[in-house]
Amino acid sequence: MIKKIALMVLFTLLCNGVTAAELSRYTATKVQRAQNLQQNEKLSEAIDVLADVDTSKAYDKAFVARMLGVFYWQNNQRSQAIKQLDYAVSSGQLQDKQAWTTRKMLADILLMEQKYKAALPHYYQLVKTVPKNEKGDELWLRIAQIHYQNSEFAPTLKAIGRYESYRKPDELTPLSLKFGAQVQLKQWKQVVPTLERLIALQPEKLTWWRQLVTAHLQLGQTKQALNVLVLADINKLSLPEQDIKLLAQLYAKQGIPEKAAQTLGRLSTVNTDVDLLVEQAVHWQNAKEWDKSIQFWSKAAKISSRYYWQESQLLLQQKHYEAALRSLNKVNDPKKKQAVLLAKVKAYYKLDRLEEGLINAKKANDISASNETKGWVKYLSNLRQLESQ
């Protein structure tokens, strides 16, 4: 998560606040020569000059180490740069802004080298006294990044809180850190406003919308989850099929079965996946769109004959008796044999085909006698006798 941080090395800062009296004449001469070589792009020679400095003065040693650290960094010798800058900082010889900028250089290099535990104490020291024209908010952001990298999520949020106290405009990196830490700590209520800010920054990024839906679902806020997903859909964010399925489920949970069925109709396997066909049939049935429900039960039954039973029940309900009989004839579940016979009895009765109805009633009664089967046999027998008279 941590991005590479550019170290802006301005060599005029190396001598900021330094007078010739503070450096010995010998060291000052070496420093000047090294600076000239560096400015003429002779970095290796400049390093050799500084590395050859032999002095007993503590301040001279610290100053040269600081300068060597910068040159080593420029020469891509990072471990040497860290060693020299660490010496300069720990010596205690550098003061005020010079000490602060040296520590910052050291902390930034350690961060870039992914030496997080070593960098962190330096950043905490830096934020204690931030000089004018330096950005304290950036230091707190780096502290947050390190804590997050170390899976220390509570300190991450604390550091982000300090960063946000600077009241900077919302930016992606700090908000992403905040979001990630909140999720890890399962702070779902806090996740919601963070994601809303991320969506305001990147409304085209579907990930934030999906995460916001998840947060609302974690809080049991089905209606809000539906609203978010609908808004993402309206904004044409190209919902993947799994999100379209979720959208349909949320419509159903909110008691909007018609929209649930219509949403499932957008899926690529809508006419070949039997489970999707069944879901649509159920949604249309719940919406009391009987003909549409029958249509989808029929499609499902053509793929799996187990669904002829559901189709036949709706056909009977809608008084499509001939069609119901055709559907019932295709039900081949042995466990439903008696139920199928009784359903046929009702259809034959409604079609005034009493003889066929009586035959099926007797068959149903032979399987297992019940008040219903006996009642049909008696009733249809009486009707047939009355007709014959």
Side-chain angles (χ1 to χ4, degrees):
M1 182 143 198
I2 293 179
K3 295 181 179 180
K4 191 172 181 180
I5 303 163
L7 282 177
M8 299 182 65
V9 183
L10 302 176
F11 292 97
T12 54
L13 289 177
L14 284 171
C15 297
N16 185 35
V18 178
T19 64
E22 291 176 313
L23 285 175
S24 67
R25 185 186 296 266
Y26 163 77
T27 302
T29 301
K30 292 279 191 177
V31 165
Q32 186 61 54
R33 184 181 172 197
Q35 273 194 298
N36 291 336
L37 287 167
Q38 186 275 337
Q39 289 168 2
N40 289 314
E41 300 183 358
K42 297 179 179 179
L43 196 54
S44 294
E45 293 179 40
I47 290 171
D48 289 341
V49 169
L50 290 178
D52 195 44
V53 171
D54 185 10
T55 179
S56 60
K57 288 189 65 176
Y59 178 76
D60 284 20
K61 288 180 179 180
F63 186 90
V64 169
R66 181 178 191 260
M67 196 169 184
L68 263 175
V70 174
F71 286 177
Y72 276 130
W73 170 254
Q74 277 201 319
N75 206 38
N76 205 31
Q77 294 174 265
R78 298 181 180 184
S79 61
Q80 290 282 23
I82 291 170
K83 181 180 178 181
Q84 293 298 326
L85 290 172
D86 184 63
Y87 175 85
V89 169
S90 60
S91 71
Q93 294 298 309
L94 305 178
Q95 300 298 320
D96 303 327
K97 182 68 178 287
Q98 192 181 57
W100 195 92
T101 56
T102 306
R103 188 183 293 276
K104 185 172 183 296
M105 280 190 280
L106 174 58
D108 288 348
I109 293 173
L110 288 168
L111 179 58
M112 280 185 281
E113 290 298 289
Q114 300 182 9
K115 299 180 184 294
Y116 305 123
K117 289 184 179 180
L120 193 57
H122 290 295
Y123 281 119
Y124 272 117
Q125 190 65 32
L126 289 167
V127 294
K128 289 181 179 179
T129 53
V130 181
K132 289 182 179 180
N133 302 322
E134 293 290 344
K135 298 179 178 180
D137 57 304
E138 290 185 0
L139 297 175
W140 281 110
L141 180 58
R142 292 176 192 179
I143 289 170
Q145 288 174 310
I146 292 172
H147 280 306
Y148 190 88
Q149 194 68 31
N150 290 335
S151 299
E152 298 163 351
F153 303 115
T156 298
L157 291 179
K158 187 175 180 181
I160 288 295
R162 294 298 300 270
Y163 167 85
E164 290 183 332
S165 70
Y166 285 82
R167 301 190 180 283
K168 304 279 289 183
D170 279 349
E171 292 185 7
L172 183 60
T173 297
L175 281 177
S176 297
L177 284 169
K178 187 174 186 177
F179 161 69
Q182 288 171 336
V183 168
Q184 292 295 330
L185 295 172
K186 302 187 186 306
Q187 297 180 354
W188 300 112
K189 285 186 179 179
Q190 292 83 355
V191 165
V192 169
T194 301
L195 281 167
E196 288 171 347
R197 291 163 67 187
L198 282 164
I199 288 172
L201 275 181
Q202 292 185 312
E204 77 289 348
K205 189 169 182 179
L206 180 59
T207 298
W208 304 134
W209 296 86
R210 298 176 76 186
Q211 293 287 0
L212 184 53
V213 170
T214 299
H216 281 304
L217 291 176
Q218 289 287 345
L219 292 167
Q221 298 171 341
T222 307
K223 184 177 181 180
Q224 291 88 331
L226 173 60
N227 291 340
V228 171
L229 206 50
V230 168
L231 190 56
D233 198 32
I234 290 172
N235 288 333
K236 302 186 184 301
L237 291 180
S238 299
L239 298 182
E241 297 217 334
Q242 66 189 75
D243 287 344
I244 293 173
K245 288 180 182 179
L246 176 59
L247 180 57
Q249 290 170 9
L250 292 174
Y251 273 129
K253 286 183 179 180
Q254 286 300 302
I256 317 172
E258 182 177 357
K259 292 293 292 183
Q262 290 171 344
T263 302
L264 288 176
R266 295 162 54 182
L267 296 171
S268 60
T269 56
V270 66
N271 290 314
T272 55
D273 186 325
V274 68
D275 292 331
L276 283 179
L277 290 168
V278 168
E279 279 190 65
Q280 289 176 94
V282 170
H283 290 321
W284 285 122
Q285 193 166 326
N286 290 335
K288 298 184 179 179
E289 293 280 354
W290 311 118
D291 289 344
K292 289 181 180 178
S293 183
I294 290 169
Q295 175 188 347
F296 281 97
W297 282 124
S298 178
K299 288 181 179 180
K302 288 174 182 175
I303 297 174
S304 175
S305 61
R306 59 186 292 197
Y307 297 112
Y308 279 117
W309 173 251
Q310 287 87 344
E311 179 193 29
S312 69
Q313 296 308 290
L314 268 188
L315 287 167
L316 281 172
Q317 177 187 303
Q318 294 307 108
K319 302 179 181 180
H320 303 315
Y321 302 118
E322 292 286 1
L325 286 169
R326 288 194 295 271
S327 183
L328 286 165
N329 285 331
K330 296 175 184 177
V331 177
N332 53 21
D333 184 354
K335 294 179 181 179
K336 290 190 180 297
K337 188 172 183 180
Q338 187 181 52
V340 168
L341 289 168
L342 287 171
K344 286 182 176 181
V345 170
K346 294 174 187 177
Y348 283 127
Y349 169 69
K350 291 293 185 179
L351 292 169
D352 202 26
R353 291 159 63 177
L354 302 182
E355 186 66 34
E356 291 166 284
L358 180 57
I359 291 170
N360 281 275
K362 288 179 178 179
K363 288 181 179 179
N365 192 61
D366 289 342
I367 293 173
S368 176
S370 66
N371 289 336
E372 184 180 10
T373 58
K374 290 176 183 178
W376 273 116
V377 170
K378 184 177 180 180
Y379 180 63
L380 293 175
S381 295
N382 290 338
L383 282 180
R384 188 181 64 169
Q385 189 175 7
L386 287 172
E387 281 191 350
S388 64
Q389 291 175 357

CSV table of all heavy atoms in Angstrom, one decimal, residues 62-109:
chain,number,residue,atom,x,y,z
A,62,ALA,N,29.3,14.5,12.1
A,62,ALA,CA,27.9,14.5,11.9
A,62,ALA,C,27.5,15.1,10.6
A,62,ALA,O,26.7,14.6,9.8
A,62,ALA,CB,27.1,15.1,13.1
A,63,PHE,N,28.1,16.3,10.3
A,63,PHE,CA,27.8,17.1,9.1
A,63,PHE,C,28.2,16.3,7.9
A,63,PHE,O,27.5,16.2,6.9
A,63,PHE,CB,28.5,18.4,9.1
A,63,PHE,CG,28.1,19.3,8.0
A,63,PHE,CD1,27.0,20.2,8.1
A,63,PHE,CD2,28.8,19.3,6.8
A,63,PHE,CE1,26.6,21.0,7.0
A,63,PHE,CE2,28.4,20.0,5.7
A,63,PHE,CZ,27.3,20.9,5.8
A,64,VAL,N,29.4,15.7,7.9
A,64,VAL,CA,29.9,14.9,6.8
A,64,VAL,C,29.0,13.7,6.6
A,64,VAL,O,28.7,13.3,5.4
A,64,VAL,CB,31.4,14.5,7.0
A,64,VAL,CG1,31.8,13.5,6.0
A,64,VAL,CG2,32.3,15.8,6.9
A,65,ALA,N,28.6,13.0,7.7
A,65,ALA,CA,27.8,11.8,7.6
A,65,ALA,C,26.5,12.2,6.9
A,65,ALA,O,25.9,11.4,6.1
A,65,ALA,CB,27.6,11.2,9.0
A,66,ARG,N,25.9,13.3,7.3
A,66,ARG,CA,24.6,13.8,6.7
A,66,ARG,C,24.8,14.0,5.2
A,66,ARG,O,24.0,13.5,4.4
A,66,ARG,CB,24.2,15.1,7.3
A,66,ARG,CG,22.9,15.7,6.8
A,66,ARG,CD,22.6,16.9,7.6
A,66,ARG,NE,21.2,17.4,7.3
A,66,ARG,CZ,20.9,18.4,6.5
A,66,ARG,NH1,21.8,19.0,5.8
A,66,ARG,NH2,19.6,18.7,6.3
A,67,MET,N,25.9,14.6,4.8
A,67,MET,CA,26.1,14.9,3.4
A,67,MET,C,26.4,13.6,2.6
A,67,MET,O,25.9,13.4,1.5
A,67,MET,CB,27.3,15.9,3.3
A,67,MET,CG,27.4,16.5,1.9
A,67,MET,SD,28.7,17.9,2.0
A,67,MET,CE,28.5,18.5,0.3
A,68,LEU,N,27.2,12.7,3.3
A,68,LEU,CA,27.4,11.4,2.6
A,68,LEU,C,26.1,10.6,2.4
A,68,LEU,O,26.0,9.9,1.4
A,68,LEU,CB,28.4,10.6,3.5
A,68,LEU,CG,29.9,10.6,3.2
A,68,LEU,CD1,30.7,9.9,4.2
A,68,LEU,CD2,30.1,10.1,1.8
A,69,GLY,N,25.3,10.7,3.4
A,69,GLY,CA,24.0,10.0,3.3
A,69,GLY,C,23.2,10.4,2.1
A,69,GLY,O,22.7,9.6,1.4
A,70,VAL,N,23.2,11.7,1.8
A,70,VAL,CA,22.5,12.3,0.7
A,70,VAL,C,23.2,11.8,-0.6
A,70,VAL,O,22.5,11.3,-1.6
A,70,VAL,CB,22.5,13.8,0.7
A,70,VAL,CG1,21.9,14.3,-0.6
A,70,VAL,CG2,21.7,14.3,1.9
A,71,PHE,N,24.5,11.8,-0.6
A,71,PHE,CA,25.3,11.4,-1.9
A,71,PHE,C,25.1,9.9,-2.1
A,71,PHE,O,24.9,9.5,-3.3
A,71,PHE,CB,26.7,11.8,-1.7
A,71,PHE,CG,27.0,13.3,-1.9
A,71,PHE,CD1,28.3,13.7,-1.7
A,71,PHE,CD2,26.0,14.2,-2.2
A,71,PHE,CE1,28.6,15.1,-1.9
A,71,PHE,CE2,26.3,15.5,-2.3
A,71,PHE,CZ,27.6,16.0,-2.2
A,72,TYR,N,25.2,9.1,-1.1
A,72,TYR,CA,25.0,7.7,-1.2
A,72,TYR,C,23.6,7.4,-1.8
A,72,TYR,O,23.4,6.5,-2.6
A,72,TYR,CB,25.1,7.0,0.1
A,72,TYR,CG,26.6,6.7,0.5
A,72,TYR,CD1,27.1,7.0,1.7
A,72,TYR,CD2,27.4,6.0,-0.5
A,72,TYR,CE1,28.4,6.7,2.0
A,72,TYR,CE2,28.7,5.7,-0.1
A,72,TYR,CZ,29.2,6.0,1.1
A,72,TYR,OH,30.5,5.7,1.4
A,73,TRP,N,22.6,8.2,-1.3
A,73,TRP,CA,21.2,8.0,-1.8
A,73,TRP,C,21.1,8.3,-3.3
A,73,TRP,O,20.6,7.5,-4.0
A,73,TRP,CB,20.2,8.8,-1.0
A,73,TRP,CG,18.9,8.9,-1.6
A,73,TRP,CD1,18.3,9.9,-2.3
A,73,TRP,CD2,17.9,7.8,-1.7
A,73,TRP,NE1,17.1,9.5,-2.8
A,73,TRP,CE2,16.8,8.2,-2.4
A,73,TRP,CE3,17.9,6.5,-1.1
A,73,TRP,CZ2,15.7,7.4,-2.6
A,73,TRP,CZ3,16.8,5.7,-1.4
A,73,TRP,CH2,15.7,6.1,-2.1
A,74,GLN,N,21.8,9.4,-3.6
A,74,GLN,CA,21.8,9.8,-5.0
A,74,GLN,C,22.5,8.7,-5.9
A,74,GLN,O,22.1,8.5,-7.0
A,74,GLN,CB,22.5,11.1,-5.2
A,74,GLN,CG,21.6,12.3,-5.0
A,74,GLN,CD,22.1,13.6,-5.6
A,74,GLN,OE1,23.3,13.8,-5.6
A,74,GLN,NE2,21.2,14.4,-6.2
A,75,ASN,N,23.4,8.1,-5.3
A,75,ASN,CA,24.2,7.1,-6.1
A,75,ASN,C,23.6,5.7,-5.9
A,75,ASN,O,24.2,4.7,-6.3
A,75,ASN,CB,25.7,7.1,-5.5
A,75,ASN,CG,26.7,6.6,-6.6
A,75,ASN,OD1,26.5,6.9,-7.7
A,75,ASN,ND2,27.7,5.8,-6.1
A,76,ASN,N,22.4,5.6,-5.4
A,76,ASN,CA,21.6,4.4,-5.3
A,76,ASN,C,22.3,3.4,-4.3
A,76,ASN,O,22.2,2.1,-4.5
A,76,ASN,CB,21.4,3.7,-6.6
A,76,ASN,CG,20.2,2.8,-6.6
A,76,ASN,OD1,19.2,3.0,-5.9
A,76,ASN,ND2,20.2,1.8,-7.4
A,77,GLN,N,23.1,3.9,-3.4
A,77,GLN,CA,23.7,3.0,-2.4
A,77,GLN,C,22.9,3.2,-1.1
A,77,GLN,O,23.3,3.9,-0.1
A,77,GLN,CB,25.2,3.4,-2.2
A,77,GLN,CG,26.0,3.1,-3.4
A,77,GLN,CD,27.4,3.6,-3.2
A,77,GLN,OE1,27.7,4.8,-3.7
A,77,GLN,NE2,28.3,2.9,-2.6
A,78,ARG,N,21.8,2.5,-1.0
A,78,ARG,CA,20.8,2.9,0.0
A,78,ARG,C,21.2,2.4,1.4
A,78,ARG,O,21.0,3.2,2.4
A,78,ARG,CB,19.4,2.2,-0.3
A,78,ARG,CG,18.9,2.8,-1.6
A,78,ARG,CD,17.6,2.2,-2.0
A,78,ARG,NE,17.1,2.7,-3.3
A,78,ARG,CZ,15.9,2.4,-3.8
A,78,ARG,NH1,15.1,1.6,-3.2
A,78,ARG,NH2,15.6,3.0,-4.9
A,79,SER,N,21.8,1.3,1.5
A,79,SER,CA,22.2,0.8,2.9
A,79,SER,C,23.3,1.8,3.5
A,79,SER,O,23.3,2.1,4.6
A,79,SER,CB,22.8,-0.6,2.8
A,79,SER,OG,23.9,-0.7,2.0
A,80,GLN,N,24.2,2.2,2.6
A,80,GLN,CA,25.2,3.2,3.1
A,80,GLN,C,24.6,4.5,3.4
A,80,GLN,O,25.0,5.2,4.4
A,80,GLN,CB,26.3,3.4,2.0
A,80,GLN,CG,27.2,2.2,1.7
A,80,GLN,CD,28.3,2.1,2.8
A,80,GLN,OE1,28.1,2.6,3.9
A,80,GLN,NE2,29.3,1.4,2.4
A,81,ALA,N,23.6,4.9,2.6
A,81,ALA,CA,22.9,6.2,2.9
A,81,ALA,C,22.2,6.1,4.3
A,81,ALA,O,22.3,7.0,5.1
A,81,ALA,CB,21.8,6.4,1.9
A,82,ILE,N,21.6,5.0,4.6
A,82,ILE,CA,20.9,4.8,5.9
A,82,ILE,C,21.9,4.8,7.0
A,82,ILE,O,21.7,5.5,8.1
A,82,ILE,CB,20.1,3.4,5.9
A,82,ILE,CG1,18.9,3.5,5.0
A,82,ILE,CG2,19.7,3.1,7.3
A,82,ILE,CD1,18.2,2.2,4.7
A,83,LYS,N,23.0,4.1,6.8
A,83,LYS,CA,24.1,4.1,7.9
A,83,LYS,C,24.6,5.5,8.2
A,83,LYS,O,24.7,5.8,9.4
A,83,LYS,CB,25.2,3.2,7.4
A,83,LYS,CG,26.3,3.0,8.4
A,83,LYS,CD,27.4,2.1,7.8
A,83,LYS,CE,28.6,2.0,8.8
A,83,LYS,NZ,29.7,1.1,8.2
A,84,GLN,N,24.9,6.3,7.2
A,84,GLN,CA,25.4,7.6,7.4
A,84,GLN,C,24.4,8.5,8.0
A,84,GLN,O,24.7,9.3,9.0
A,84,GLN,CB,25.9,8.2,6.1
A,84,GLN,CG,27.1,7.4,5.5
A,84,GLN,CD,28.4,7.5,6.4
A,84,GLN,OE1,28.6,8.5,7.1
A,84,GLN,NE2,29.2,6.4,6.4
A,85,LEU,N,23.2,8.5,7.5
A,85,LEU,CA,22.1,9.4,8.1
A,85,LEU,C,21.8,9.0,9.5
A,85,LEU,O,21.5,9.9,10.3
A,85,LEU,CB,20.9,9.3,7.2
A,85,LEU,CG,21.0,10.0,5.8
A,85,LEU,CD1,19.8,9.7,5.0
A,85,LEU,CD2,21.2,11.5,5.9
A,86,ASP,N,21.8,7.7,9.8
A,86,ASP,CA,21.5,7.2,11.1
A,86,ASP,C,22.6,7.8,12.1
A,86,ASP,O,22.3,8.2,13.2
A,86,ASP,CB,21.4,5.7,11.2
A,86,ASP,CG,21.1,5.2,12.5
A,86,ASP,OD1,19.9,5.5,13.0
A,86,ASP,OD2,21.9,4.5,13.2
A,87,TYR,N,23.8,7.7,11.6
A,87,TYR,CA,24.9,8.3,12.5
A,87,TYR,C,24.7,9.8,12.7
A,87,TYR,O,24.8,10.3,13.9
A,87,TYR,CB,26.3,8.0,11.8
A,87,TYR,CG,27.4,8.7,12.6
A,87,TYR,CD1,28.0,8.0,13.6
A,87,TYR,CD2,27.9,9.9,12.3
A,87,TYR,CE1,29.0,8.6,14.4
A,87,TYR,CE2,28.9,10.5,13.0
A,87,TYR,CZ,29.5,9.8,14.0
A,87,TYR,OH,30.5,10.4,14.8
A,88,ALA,N,24.4,10.5,11.7
A,88,ALA,CA,24.2,11.9,11.8
A,88,ALA,C,23.1,12.3,12.8
A,88,ALA,O,23.2,13.2,13.6
A,88,ALA,CB,23.9,12.5,10.4
A,89,VAL,N,22.0,11.5,12.7
A,89,VAL,CA,20.8,11.8,13.6
A,89,VAL,C,21.2,11.4,15.0
A,89,VAL,O,20.9,12.2,16.0
A,89,VAL,CB,19.6,11.0,13.1
A,89,VAL,CG1,18.5,11.0,14.1
A,89,VAL,CG2,19.1,11.6,11.8
A,90,SER,N,21.7,10.2,15.2
A,90,SER,CA,22.0,9.7,16.6
A,90,SER,C,23.1,10.4,17.3
A,90,SER,O,23.2,10.4,18.5
A,90,SER,CB,22.2,8.2,16.5
A,90,SER,OG,23.4,7.9,15.7
A,91,SER,N,23.9,11.1,16.5
A,91,SER,CA,25.1,11.9,17.1
A,91,SER,C,24.6,13.0,18.0
A,91,SER,O,25.3,13.4,19.0
A,91,SER,CB,26.0,12.4,16.0
A,91,SER,OG,25.3,13.5,15.4
A,92,GLY,N,23.4,13.6,17.8
A,92,GLY,CA,22.9,14.7,18.5
A,92,GLY,C,23.6,16.0,18.3
A,92,GLY,O,23.4,17.0,18.9
A,93,GLN,N,24.5,16.0,17.3
A,93,GLN,CA,25.2,17.2,16.9
A,93,GLN,C,24.5,18.2,16.1
A,93,GLN,O,24.7,19.4,16.1
A,93,GLN,CB,26.6,16.8,16.2
A,93,GLN,CG,27.5,16.1,17.1
A,93,GLN,CD,28.0,16.9,18.3
A,93,GLN,OE1,28.4,18.0,18.2
A,93,GLN,NE2,27.9,16.3,19.5
A,94,LEU,N,23.5,17.7,15.3
A,94,LEU,CA,22.8,18.5,14.4
A,94,LEU,C,21.6,19.2,15.2
A,94,LEU,O,21.0,18.5,16.1
A,94,LEU,CB,22.2,17.7,13.2
A,94,LEU,CG,23.3,17.0,12.4
A,94,LEU,CD1,22.6,16.2,11.3
A,94,LEU,CD2,24.3,17.9,11.8
A,95,GLN,N,21.3,20.4,14.9
A,95,GLN,CA,20.3,21.1,15.7
A,95,GLN,C,19.1,21.6,14.8
A,95,GLN,O,19.3,21.9,13.6
A,95,GLN,CB,20.9,22.3,16.4
A,95,GLN,CG,22.0,21.8,17.4
A,95,GLN,CD,21.5,20.9,18.5
A,95,GLN,OE1,20.4,21.1,19.1
A,95,GLN,NE2,22.3,19.9,18.9
A,96,ASP,N,18.0,21.8,15.4
A,96,ASP,CA,16.9,22.6,14.8
A,96,ASP,C,16.5,22.0,13.5
A,96,ASP,O,16.3,20.8,13.3
A,96,ASP,CB,17.2,24.1,14.8
A,96,ASP,CG,17.5,24.6,16.1
A,96,ASP,OD1,16.9,24.1,17.1
A,96,ASP,OD2,18.4,25.5,16.2
A,97,LYS,N,16.3,22.9,12.5
A,97,LYS,CA,15.8,22.5,11.2
A,97,LYS,C,16.8,21.5,10.5
A,97,LYS,O,16.3,20.5,9.8
A,97,LYS,CB,15.7,23.7,10.3
A,97,LYS,CG,15.1,23.4,8.9
A,97,LYS,CD,13.7,23.0,8.9
A,97,LYS,CE,13.1,22.8,7.5
A,97,LYS,NZ,12.9,24.0,6.8
A,98,GLN,N,18.1,21.7,10.7
A,98,GLN,CA,19.1,20.7,10.1
A,98,GLN,C,18.9,19.3,10.7
A,98,GLN,O,18.9,18.4,9.9
A,98,GLN,CB,20.5,21.2,10.4
A,98,GLN,CG,21.6,20.5,9.7
A,98,GLN,CD,22.9,21.1,10.0
A,98,GLN,OE1,23.3,21.0,11.2
A,98,GLN,NE2,23.7,21.6,9.1
A,99,ALA,N,18.6,19.2,12.0
A,99,ALA,CA,18.4,17.9,12.6
A,99,ALA,C,17.1,17.3,12.1
A,99,ALA,O,17.0,16.1,11.8
A,99,ALA,CB,18.4,18.1,14.1
A,100,TRP,N,16.1,18.2,12.0
A,100,TRP,CA,14.8,17.7,11.6
A,100,TRP,C,14.8,17.2,10.2
A,100,TRP,O,14.3,16.1,9.9
A,100,TRP,CB,13.8,18.8,11.7
A,100,TRP,CG,12.3,18.4,11.7
A,100,TRP,CD1,11.5,18.1,12.7
A,100,TRP,CD2,11.5,18.2,10.5
A,100,TRP,NE1,10.3,17.7,12.3
A,100,TRP,CE2,10.2,17.8,11.0
A,100,TRP,CE3,11.7,18.4,9.2
A,100,TRP,CZ2,9.2,17.5,10.1
A,100,TRP,CZ3,10.7,18.1,8.3
A,100,TRP,CH2,9.4,17.7,8.7
A,101,THR,N,15.4,17.9,9.2
A,101,THR,CA,15.4,17.5,7.8
A,101,THR,C,16.2,16.2,7.6
A,101,THR,O,15.9,15.4,6.8
A,101,THR,CB,15.9,18.6,6.9
A,101,THR,OG1,17.2,19.0,7.4
A,101,THR,CG2,15.0,19.8,6.9
A,102,THR,N,17.3,16.1,8.5
A,102,THR,CA,18.1,14.9,8.4
A,102,THR,C,17.3,13.7,8.8
A,102,THR,O,17.4,12.6,8.2
A,102,THR,CB,19.4,15.0,9.2
A,102,THR,OG1,20.1,16.2,8.8
A,102,THR,CG2,20.3,13.8,9.0
A,103,ARG,N,16.6,13.8,9.9
A,103,ARG,CA,15.8,12.7,10.4
A,103,ARG,C,14.7,12.3,9.4
A,103,ARG,O,14.4,11.2,9.2
A,103,ARG,CB,15.2,13.1,11.8
A,103,ARG,CG,14.5,11.9,12.4
A,103,ARG,CD,13.8,12.3,13.7
A,103,ARG,NE,14.7,12.7,14.8
A,103,ARG,CZ,15.3,11.9,15.6
A,103,ARG,NH1,15.1,10.5,15.5
A,103,ARG,NH2,16.1,12.3,16.5
A,104,LYS,N,14.2,13.3,8.8
A,104,LYS,CA,13.1,13.1,7.8
A,104,LYS,C,13.7,12.3,6.6
A,104,LYS,O,13.1,11.4,6.1
A,104,LYS,CB,12.5,14.4,7.3
A,104,LYS,CG,11.3,14.1,6.4
A,104,LYS,CD,10.6,15.4,6.1
A,104,LYS,CE,9.4,15.2,5.2
A,104,LYS,NZ,9.7,14.7,3.9
A,105,MET,N,14.9,12.7,6.1
A,105,MET,CA,15.5,12.0,5.1
A,105,MET,C,15.7,10.5,5.4
A,105,MET,O,15.4,9.6,4.7
A,105,MET,CB,16.9,12.6,4.7
A,105,MET,CG,16.8,13.8,3.8
A,105,MET,SD,18.4,14.4,3.1
A,105,MET,CE,19.0,15.3,4.6
A,106,LEU,N,16.2,10.3,6.7
A,106,LEU,CA,16.4,8.9,7.1
A,106,LEU,C,15.1,8.1,7.2
A,106,LEU,O,15.1,7.0,6.7
A,106,LEU,CB,17.1,9.0,8.5
A,106,LEU,CG,17.3,7.6,9.2
A,106,LEU,CD1,18.1,6.7,8.4
A,106,LEU,CD2,17.9,7.8,10.6
A,107,ALA,N,14.1,8.8,7.8
A,107,ALA,CA,12.8,8.1,7.9
A,107,ALA,C,12.2,7.7,6.5
A,107,ALA,O,11.7,6.6,6.3
A,107,ALA,CB,11.8,9.0,8.6
A,108,ASP,N,12.3,8.6,5.6
A,108,ASP,CA,11.8,8.4,4.2
A,108,ASP,C,12.5,7.3,3.5
A,108,ASP,O,11.9,6.4,2.8
A,108,ASP,CB,11.9,9.7,3.4
A,108,ASP,CG,10.8,10.7,3.8
A,108,ASP,OD1,10.0,10.4,4.6
A,108,ASP,OD2,10.9,11.9,3.4
A,109,ILE,N,13.9,7.2,3.7
A,109,ILE,CA,14.6,6.2,3.0
A,109,ILE,C,14.3,4.8,3.7
A,109,ILE,O,14.1,3.8,3.0
A,109,ILE,CB,16.1,6.4,3.1
A,109,ILE,CG1,16.5,7.7,2.3
A,109,ILE,CG2,16.9,5.2,2.6
A,109,ILE,CD1,17.9,8.1,2.4
